[in-house]
Structures are given as structure tokens and as C-alpha cells.
Amino acid sequence: MSREGQTSQPKYLRIAAELRGALERGDYQPGDRLPGENTLAADFDVAPLTMRQALGVLRSEGLVGSRKGSGWFVESFRPIRRRGIPRLARGQWGSGKTIWSADDHRAPDVDQITVQEDTPPPEHISDVFELAPGETVCVRSRRYVMEGRPVMVAESYLPQSLVAGSPITQADTGPGGIYARLADLGHAPARFREEIRVRMPSAEEAARLAIPADRSVIKLARTAFDSEGRAVEINEMTMDSATYVLDYEFDA
Amino acid sequence: MSREGQTSQPKYLRIAAELRGALERGDYQPGDRLPGENTLAADFDVAPLTMRQALGVLRSEGLVGSRKGSGWFVESFRPIRRRGIPRLARGQWGSGKTIWSADDHRAPDVDQITVQEDTPPPEHISDVFELAPGETVCVRSRRYVMEGRPVMVAESYLPQSLVAGSPITQADTGPGGIYARLADLGHAPARFREEIRVRMPSAEEAARLAIPADRSVIKLARTAFDSEGRAVEINEMTMDSATYVLDYEFDA
DNA sequence: CAGTGGTCTAGACCACCAA
DNA sequence: TGGTGGTCTAGACCACTGC
């Protein structure tokens, strides 16, 4: 190997840094196709596999994506801001600049929606609901897309005994959505808990979100409690970690 | 290649799944050393590079780690729960089971701490503070460790003009910490905003947190506003994404 | 059908660690 | 000093895409 890198940084990292700079300078526009692996490998004077390694770094960062048989493409990073706590009083705080600029005004559309009644729940769900053995749940599954691209899948779990026969078991829950219907049933959500963790996607999650296997996902589990402290809904969301900025605002 | 896998899943993923199962079954205990790459490659009857690829999957998931010249080791996943919103009234909600179990009672220790006064701020910081050109900030940098392992680094930015000469510029800020001292100065925090995003670590961040380059980090930026709506502190935290569960609890 | 990315092999050299 | 993981090379075959 050449002795030039006195800092002894690996080739693939130096190439990745060089390409990252080119992308940030705007040498390639979002959606543009990059030269093929072999062409790039010749340009940078490395073996194809080393070139792949460099491109893989940028892919895991969300800067580029690859389509088999087609090529490498520049991805646009326009994060979506999700407000965890609905802003009630829009006062002086609304004007403050945020750390990471993100489109506030776009909201994803629902792409797919399925409802399954009378399903045996996963263990961690029945634990939180404190269900008796054999009790089942209703599962509402939705996928959200933005500009044609899947960005989030969400699965809502509700105790079957609570929602049987209500509009919650229909695809269209009517005005106000699930929470309004829970209120109709006398279990209006009074408090929420949101738990966030990050991990690598399963093969199914990666396919459903159309993200590479080496891009991590955010798991956000939102539990709704009624006024008596009973957990009445759990919404488990899975998001592409490269497209979301989460936002929580609260008083001291 | 053998034709056995009718689902045509790549070898490295099948091997990763097999090893993952062995880890979850407890065949190896946290801290245990795995057989060497070459041994494993022979066991699974694949080329060493393919074996590496499989191990890399598990490493990015946080299940194993590697030390050059030493071997591959099983990592323990005991997530730390960080409560974003201090629980004021510990009522009926406290008893509810959570989705992801995590140690609530452990708190990381501060490992390193440095204070730099009169520093020119990064652009995104001066934007939020709405500083005039040339205005400087005070930067408090801390690293947190748990059981000897770095888990988070945090950098607090405060407007220099606000804190000059106060205990905030000392390593030890006294009882109550920064926020108590800000209150002494007449700028008690009244409201907070926390912004969360996920990305791959820079080389420096990976080194400071002692995590592999392919493990993502959580960036959490906490902005504190005083009662007049002025941003008085920004705390930018960087955490190992595999060791934290974030938690927010709030009323509807 | 030609070109693309995805996977896999069989080598090689290096830096680092532990005995 | 021998074994380890980290990097790199030069091939190969495959599945998929788009013309």
C-alpha cells in the first residue's frame, strides 16, 4: 500500500470523506446517479471491494442509496420533525430557532392500513396491558409515506375486550381517530408515555421501510393511559432513523 | 455455492442469525471471548471474509464487540433509561410496566470535565442564542461512564456574557448545578426543548465513546429557555444508541 | 443482452495484543 | 513470537435492471 497517509487512515475512509465532501459541495444533486463501482474504483485507484466499502459508509449515513442492477444514487436529507407533545399554547416559544432545521409543515400520508381483531399479543404488549392469559388484542397496522417514500410503520395494539364492536375495529375510525373513539368508550387518554430506542432493523422492517439493512431504525413506543391509569393503547412505531427529528417541549 | 437455502438468504445473514440465536440462548455469557474468525469460518465452512461480514452484523447490533489483536467478545445489553421530563407527582403512573425494561436506578458518573470560556460558537449554536457576530460562549464538556464504559458525552453551551465570573465557569458549579446557578443570575430555566436525531458517529465521537464506527449514536440537543423566552443554555449530548432508552411522560 | 450491485472465495500484509 | 482482528487485492458467479 502507498505510504502517503501519514495519519494512516484507511483508504475506504479517506475515499468516503472525499465523496462526502463532493456531496456536501453539491457536485451531485439529489437523485443523481453516481458512476458505477468499477468506474469509481478505477478513478480512486483501489480495488472494487474497497470502493464498495467506502460507498457503504455513505449509505449507512443516509447520503446515498443503491439499487441492484441499476446503480448508486444521491439521497436527499430533508428530515421530518415529529412533535411528541402537542403544542397547546403557542406563545413566545414558537419563535425560537431549532438546532436541526426540518420541515415542520409536511405530514406523511397513510399508505397501507390493516386491522386484525382477536390476535394473541406479543409478550411485552400483554405485560403492559396486564392481560390475563388467553386475552387477545386488536392490532391496527399502518404505513406512512412521504413523497412516495415509506418513512414509518406503526402498529397500534388495543385490548380486544375494550374495543370489540366499536369503530376502532374498522379501517376508518372516523373524526378524531382512535383517541376520540376511546373517549366515546369512556377511556379517554389522560396521559402518555413515549419510550425511544434505536436498533438495527429486522429483514422485514428493512423491506417494509425500503431502507438498507445497515441503516438503523428508531423504535418509538407510545403508551396511552386513561384517567384511572389503565393502559388502553400501545402504538409501536418504526422509523427510518435518517429522516426523523423528534421534538419534545415542556415546562420546567 | 451450495443450493440448500431455498429462501436464498445470504450466507452471512444466516450465520449471523445462527450466532444471534446462540447468544440469546445464553451459549456465551457477556464478556466471553468467541472463537477466532478463522476458527469460526472453518466451523461454518465459509471464507474468513464472509465470517467477518456475519460478525459485523452482530457488532452493529451491539451484541458483540471486537478488540484488535485480542478477539471478539460478547457485550451485555443493559440499557440505561433516561427520563426526559422529571417526574413531579409520582402517582398511579409510576407503577405501569414499560415496553423495554431498563435499569432505572443506575446513573452514570462523570469521567472527564473541561470548561472553556470565551470560545467562538458553532453556527447552529449562535443561531439559537441569536448572538451578535463576535459574541462568544462558554463550553462545558463532560463525559459520562457506567461500569467503566463511556456511555455519553455532553457539551453545554452558554452565552459568555451571561455567565462570565459566575460559578458556571468553574468545573464544580456547586449544589443544584448549572440550572441553580442560572437561577441565581435571574435566568432560571422555565421551559425546555429536546430535539433528538440519530446518525453515524464521526471518528472523534466513536473514539471518545469507545464504540465501533458502524454503531449509530443518538444526538440529543436540550435547549433551556428562561421565563422571558430567551435561550440560556444548549446541552448537546451524544450517546451510544445501543445503551440508551429515552423516556418522555406527559399529560394529554 | 450488457451493465449493475450483491455475494463469495483465496489469498496477502499490517498493527496490535498476550503470553 | 504467534495469534488476532483490520485492511486490501484480484478474481468469480449471481440476480436484477433497463435498453
Side-chain angles (χ1 to χ4, degrees):
Chain A
M1 184 187 317
S2 66
R3 73 184 64 248
E4 34 176 312
Q6 55 269 65
T7 57
S8 85
Q9 209 188 12
K11 279 186 183 179
Y12 74 95
L13 285 183
R14 286 194 287 113
I15 294 175
E18 202 164 321
L19 275 177
R20 195 185 297 115
L23 292 171
E24 282 163 1
R25 266 199 316 277
D27 294 5
Y28 297 99
Q29 292 304 312
D32 279 4
R33 182 181 173 280
L34 298 179
E37 290 178 358
N38 295 325
T39 310
L40 284 170
D43 288 354
F44 285 103
D45 194 30
V46 292
L49 193 63
T50 305
M51 192 65 227
R52 271 189 76 72
Q53 212 177 347
L55 288 165
V57 172
L58 301 182
R59 177 171 54 192
S60 71
E61 293 173 358
L63 296 175
V64 302
S66 62
R67 288 200 284 277
K68 193 198 284 198
S70 175
W72 292 81
F73 298 84
V74 181
E75 305 236 338
S76 63
F77 177 47
R78 297 211 300 143
I80 303 169
R81 181 175 299 270
R82 175 189 183 273
R83 290 192 192 288
I85 304 174
R87 189 185 308 240
L88 301 176
R90 246 196 171 268
Q92 52 197 327
W93 320 100
S95 62
K97 289 214 178 74
T98 56
I99 296 285
W100 296 300
S101 62
D103 262 326
D104 279 16
H105 310 298
R106 307 179 299 159
D109 300 309
V110 173
D111 180 35
Q112 309 169 344
I113 181 165
T114 64
V115 183
Q116 287 186 309
E117 288 192 75
D118 239 348
T119 307
E123 195 181 331
H124 66 286
I125 297 291
S126 72
D127 277 358
V128 174
F129 280 148
E130 296 178 335
L131 296 182
E135 273 198 87
T136 58
V137 294
C138 170
V139 188
R140 299 179 51 87
S141 178
R142 315 178 282 301
R143 188 172 79 167
Y144 295 85
V145 294
M146 167 147 291
E147 296 165 3
R149 199 167 52 91
V151 292
M152 176 167 82
V153 299
E155 258 127 32
S156 272
Y157 298 87
L158 303 106
Q160 178 71 29
S161 58
L162 198 69
V163 300
S166 83
I168 290 176
T169 62
Q170 308 298 316
D172 183 0
T173 53
I178 297 181
Y179 292 155
R181 294 297 83 73
L182 281 170
D184 295 346
L185 294 167
H187 293 281
R191 195 172 174 82
F192 296 100
R193 171 163 56 216
E194 302 203 340
E195 294 170 74
I196 301 160
R197 60 168 297 195
V198 176
R199 61 165 171 74
M200 301 308 288
S202 69
E204 294 73 26
E205 289 170 333
R208 190 114 189 265
L209 285 174
I211 58 172
D214 54 8
R215 176 113 90 255
S216 57
V217 292
I218 300 173
K219 300 289 291 188
L220 197 163
R222 178 185 177 109
T223 309
F225 300 91
D226 68 12
S227 61
E228 291 173 357
R230 175 183 175 185
V232 291
E233 189 230 17
I234 299 168
N235 190 355
E236 250 192 296
M237 299 165 240
T238 308
M239 320 176 211
D240 178 356
S241 67
T243 66
Y244 269 92
V245 171
L246 308 182
D247 186 301
Y248 293 88
E249 209 167 299
F250 49 94
D251 292 322
Chain B
M1 183 188 317
S2 66
R3 71 186 66 247
E4 33 174 314
Q6 56 270 67
T7 58
S8 84
Q9 208 190 12
K11 279 186 184 180
Y12 74 94
L13 286 182
R14 285 193 287 112
I15 294 174
E18 201 163 324
L19 275 177
R20 196 185 296 114
L23 291 172
E24 283 162 1
R25 264 199 316 277
D27 294 4
Y28 298 98
Q29 292 305 311
D32 279 3
R33 183 182 172 280
L34 297 180
E37 289 177 0
N38 295 325
T39 310
L40 284 170
D43 288 353
F44 286 101
D45 193 30
V46 291
L49 194 63
T50 304
M51 193 64 227
R52 270 190 76 73
Q53 212 176 347
L55 289 165
V57 171
L58 301 183
R59 176 172 54 192
S60 71
E61 293 172 359
L63 296 176
V64 303
S66 62
R67 290 201 284 277
K68 193 198 287 197
S70 176
W72 292 82
F73 298 85
V74 181
E75 305 236 338
S76 63
F77 176 49
R78 296 212 299 145
I80 304 168
R81 180 174 300 269
R82 176 189 182 273
R83 290 192 191 287
I85 305 172
R87 189 184 308 240
L88 301 177
R90 245 191 172 272
Q92 51 196 328
W93 320 101
S95 61
K97 287 216 178 74
T98 56
I99 296 288
W100 297 299
S101 62
D103 261 327
D104 279 17
H105 310 297
R106 305 180 301 160
D109 300 310
V110 173
D111 180 36
Q112 310 170 343
I113 181 164
T114 65
V115 183
Q116 287 186 309
E117 286 193 78
D118 240 348
T119 306
E123 196 182 331
H124 66 285
I125 297 291
S126 72
D127 277 359
V128 174
F129 281 147
E130 295 177 336
L131 295 181
E135 273 197 88
T136 58
V137 293
C138 171
V139 187
R140 298 178 52 87
S141 179
R142 314 179 281 304
R143 189 172 78 166
Y144 295 85
V145 294
M146 168 150 289
E147 295 165 3
R149 199 166 54 91
V151 292
M152 176 167 82
V153 299
E155 258 126 33
S156 271
Y157 299 87
L158 302 108
Q160 178 71 29
S161 57
L162 198 69
V163 301
S166 83
I168 290 177
T169 62
Q170 307 299 316
D172 183 359
T173 54
I178 296 181
Y179 292 154
R181 296 296 83 71
L182 281 170
D184 296 345
L185 294 166
H187 293 280
R191 195 170 173 82
F192 296 100
R193 172 163 55 217
E194 302 203 338
E195 294 170 74
I196 301 160
R197 60 168 297 196
V198 176
R199 62 164 173 73
M200 302 307 289
S202 68
E204 294 75 25
E205 289 169 333
R208 191 113 188 266
L209 285 174
I211 57 173
D214 54 7
R215 173 112 92 256
S216 57
V217 292
I218 299 173
K219 300 288 290 189
L220 197 162
R222 178 184 177 110
T223 310
F225 300 92
D226 68 12
S227 61
E228 292 174 355
R230 177 183 174 186
V232 291
E233 190 231 16
I234 299 168
N235 190 355
E236 249 191 297
M237 299 165 241
T238 308
M239 322 178 210
D240 179 353
S241 67
T243 65
Y244 269 93
V245 171
L246 308 182
D247 187 300
Y248 293 89
E249 208 168 300
F250 49 93
D251 291 322

